[in-house]
Amino acid sequence: MELKNKGENSKEVSMKTMTEGNPVKLILAFAFPMLIGNVFQQLYNMVDSIVVGNYVGKVALAAVGTGFPIIFMMAAMFIGLGIGATILISQYVGAGDMDNVRKTSQTIYTAVIVGAIPISIIGIIMCEPILNLINTPADTLPLAKQYMMIIFAGIIGSIGFNINSGILQGFGDSKSSLLFLVIATVMNIVLDLAFVVVFQWGVAGVAIATIIAQAFSWLYGLRYMRKKYEVLNFSILKFYFDKEIFKKILKLGLPTGIQQMLFSMGIMSLQSLVNSYGSDFMAGFNAANKIDTFAFMPIQSFSNAVTTYTGQNIGAGRMDRVHKGLTATLGMSALVCLAALVIIPLGPFILRMFNSDPAVISAGMIYLNNVMPLYILLAVVFVVNAVMRGAGESVIPMVGAITSLWLGRIPAAYFIASNYGKEYMFLSYGVGWLMYILISGPYYFSGKWKTKSQKLIKE
């Protein structure tokens, strides 16, 4: 099924919907470009770590990694609002309501432009106190602070890029976001090598390359969207704010934003534990995290696809197709988890891409050996909650995430590290994921989320 958006000069643009056809094929078709995009996204982040790990040193590798959860925490609320806008747009697209698609897109952009400046200022001011709070070693602190201050100064590019991707995801268009990401990744790689290897700017060079690439990709993506979709042909400098639509965005996105913020605070607590073992362990953890993220990308792509699939089918009144989408996505994710186990024997070789120090490689393998066999638990968590979010149920996923992290993973990590050593501390991830399933699973099968979601776009 396609909706036609008529623009100027009778130009028509097709917007694909996911309300008819085989769920497996539809989810795969939507997820594949997103998966390629996620590969480039991870390459984007991974190149920073590889370049500093090889050309600056393992302390720089640790510095770049330790700043990520802090940056993520500061931007978490915007991530949540972007998810809320994505869900709302997908439901309006499914219902064929292009007027509200335009209003939603303009409203979320106004919120982004107005809110990005204070986020930058607060991030720059607070980065050193937070780094001290999470036990950042003295040899790592100056570089981590330098990296974070530059990233926060240009964070609007990252937020804007993700808002673009979210809007397009609501349309069922994952290919355009891939184009923007490819541009950003190529630019980032070139600038990383130029600023670090040629100009020898160190960690600062990596951070400057990142914000330049993100800003260019955001602005290019905005221009592209305006040309492709007439309904998105608005100026971000002419603010438009619909209070009622923003309330709906908040209703959908605020729980996720709070979840992301509290989740990143939990990750910072774990990062503090990791940091207590020194820069070698930090560097290995950072490198293994990059590998781990690569392995998880297909599941993340499937989950994002089923969120849009769910939203569009509910918008079209096709609730009967939602459970089929869940089943198909779980099956595909299970196959990915099985295939991902090959990373364990290949781990030492891949970790050498970041840094060849034996202590760094050993630390990285501790993480991979503990986490990779338990990935099927994380897949179930992501897919079930993605369906509920697509339907408009954000509270239970939020409660599950916060509870499983703060009452599951974090206490387990500290308990295991204290009683059995750091070699087993990452088994705590599985403890948290299992607790999350025990919260979200029964609620999904109760069906209560269906009654909350179907009336959303009609409110």
Side-chain angles (χ1 to χ4, degrees):
M1 180 180 177
E2 292 184 344
L3 296 175
K4 298 291 187 177
N5 173 42
K6 293 186 178 181
E8 297 178 356
N9 302 321
S10 299
K11 180 182 178 181
E12 292 187 345
V13 177
S14 296
M15 291 173 284
K16 296 180 180 179
T17 67
M18 306 169 78
T19 57
E20 300 289 345
N22 185 292
V24 174
K25 292 181 180 179
L26 289 169
I27 291 169
L28 277 175
F30 185 77
F32 184 72
M34 193 178 296
L35 173 59
I36 302 302
N38 284 336
V39 169
F40 276 94
Q41 178 75 60
Q42 188 55 24
L43 282 174
Y44 187 98
N45 297 323
M46 184 177 284
V47 167
D48 289 355
S49 296
I50 291 174
V51 170
V52 298
N54 285 280
Y55 292 98
V56 185
K58 60 186 180 182
V59 174
L61 176 60
V64 170
T66 201
F68 176 77
I70 302 172
I71 296 166
F72 188 80
M73 179 190 69
M74 297 297 292
M77 196 55 63
F78 284 102
I79 294 171
L81 294 179
I83 291 172
T86 298
I87 295 166
L88 196 57
I89 288 171
S90 71
Q91 294 194 12
Y92 283 136
V93 168
D97 188 349
M98 292 299 106
D99 183 52
N100 274 321
V101 168
R102 181 194 299 274
K103 290 178 181 179
T104 303
S105 302
Q106 288 181 276
T107 298
I108 190 61
Y109 244 112
T110 296
V112 167
I113 299 300
V114 171
I117 295 174
I119 291 295
S120 292
I121 294 172
I122 294 171
I124 291 170
I125 293 172
M126 294 300 297
C127 63
E128 184 171 0
I130 296 175
L131 284 168
N132 283 319
L133 186 65
I134 61 172
N135 296 321
T136 305
D139 61 346
T140 309
L141 180 62
L143 293 179
K145 178 184 175 182
Q146 183 183 54
Y147 178 80
M148 286 179 56
M149 289 181 70
I150 296 171
I151 293 296
F152 274 120
I155 201 168
I156 190 171
S158 175
I159 295 173
F161 170 84
N162 282 289
I163 293 298
N164 286 353
S165 297
I167 291 171
L168 289 169
Q169 183 182 336
F171 278 92
D173 179 358
S174 56
K175 293 182 181 178
S176 296
S177 296
L178 172 59
L179 172 64
F180 312 151
L181 195 52
V182 169
I183 292 171
T185 302
V186 172
M187 180 177 289
N188 187 55
I189 291 172
V190 172
L191 293 177
D192 270 350
L193 294 173
F195 293 164
V196 177
V197 180
V198 179
F199 299 141
Q200 297 185 348
W201 290 353
V203 167
V206 167
I208 293 169
T210 295
I211 64 171
I212 291 174
Q214 288 175 339
F216 181 86
S217 183
W218 163 48
L219 295 173
Y220 174 79
L222 181 62
R223 180 175 180 273
Y224 180 97
M225 285 164 53
R226 293 176 60 194
K227 292 182 68 176
K228 183 172 183 180
Y229 297 104
E230 175 61 22
V231 72
L232 300 178
N233 191 12
F234 56 84
S235 172
I236 62 173
L237 299 179
K238 294 181 180 179
F239 292 167
Y240 172 87
F241 192 81
D242 188 305
K243 291 182 180 179
E244 293 305 313
I245 284 181
F246 191 67
K247 287 179 182 178
K248 292 182 181 181
I249 293 174
L250 283 176
K251 182 177 181 180
L252 292 167
L254 189 59
T256 301
I258 294 172
Q259 170 192 327
Q260 298 282 12
M261 183 174 292
L262 292 175
F263 189 81
S264 56
M265 290 172 65
I267 297 301
M268 287 166 54
S269 178
L270 287 175
Q271 184 73 54
S272 178
L273 179 60
V274 170
N275 292 354
S276 69
Y277 293 111
S279 56
D280 286 348
F281 199 76
M282 290 170 63
F285 175 71
N286 180 28
N289 253 310
K290 296 295 185 291
I291 299 170
D292 166 31
T293 304
F294 248 117
F296 185 65
M297 283 187 300
I299 299 170
Q300 184 179 32
S301 300
F302 293 152
S303 299
N304 289 338
V306 82
T307 295
T308 299
Y309 171 93
T310 301
Q312 290 192 1
N313 277 282
I314 287 176
R318 296 297 310 273
M319 182 62 78
D320 59 297
R321 290 171 54 81
V322 173
H323 187 69
K324 294 178 181 178
L326 171 81
T327 304
T329 308
L330 281 175
M332 292 185 288
S333 298
L335 292 175
V336 168
C337 292
L338 186 62
L341 293 176
V342 73
I343 289 176
I344 295 177
L346 294 177
F349 172 77
I350 302 173
L351 286 165
R352 286 189 184 92
M353 293 171 54
F354 296 86
N355 192 273
S356 59
D357 190 302
V360 173
I361 294 171
S362 176
M365 287 306 301
I366 289 174
Y367 180 91
L368 295 177
N369 286 330
N370 279 238
V371 171
M372 297 307 300
L374 305 176
Y375 247 36
I376 187 62
L377 299 176
L378 182 58
V380 173
V381 163
F382 256 70
V383 175
V384 170
N385 285 287
V387 169
M388 290 196 289
R389 285 195 183 100
E393 174 56 83
S394 300
V395 175
I396 295 301
M398 177 192 73
V399 171
I402 294 171
T403 303
S404 64
L405 180 65
W406 286 97
L407 299 183
R409 188 192 304 185
I410 295 172
Y414 279 85
F415 175 81
I416 294 171
S418 175
N419 290 277
Y420 301 100
K422 63 184 179 181
E423 292 80 11
Y424 302 100
M425 61 180 282
F426 297 116
L427 289 173
S428 60
Y429 282 57
V431 174
W433 296 336
L434 181 59
M435 184 179 291
Y436 205 160
I437 291 172
L438 294 176
I439 294 171
S440 296
Y443 184 80
Y444 175 85
F445 286 109
S446 76
K448 294 179 180 179
W449 53 276
K450 297 178 184 179
T451 60
K452 291 185 178 182
S453 64
Q454 295 183 72
K455 303 297 182 182
L456 178 65
I457 64 174
K458 297 179 182 179
E459 290 178 352

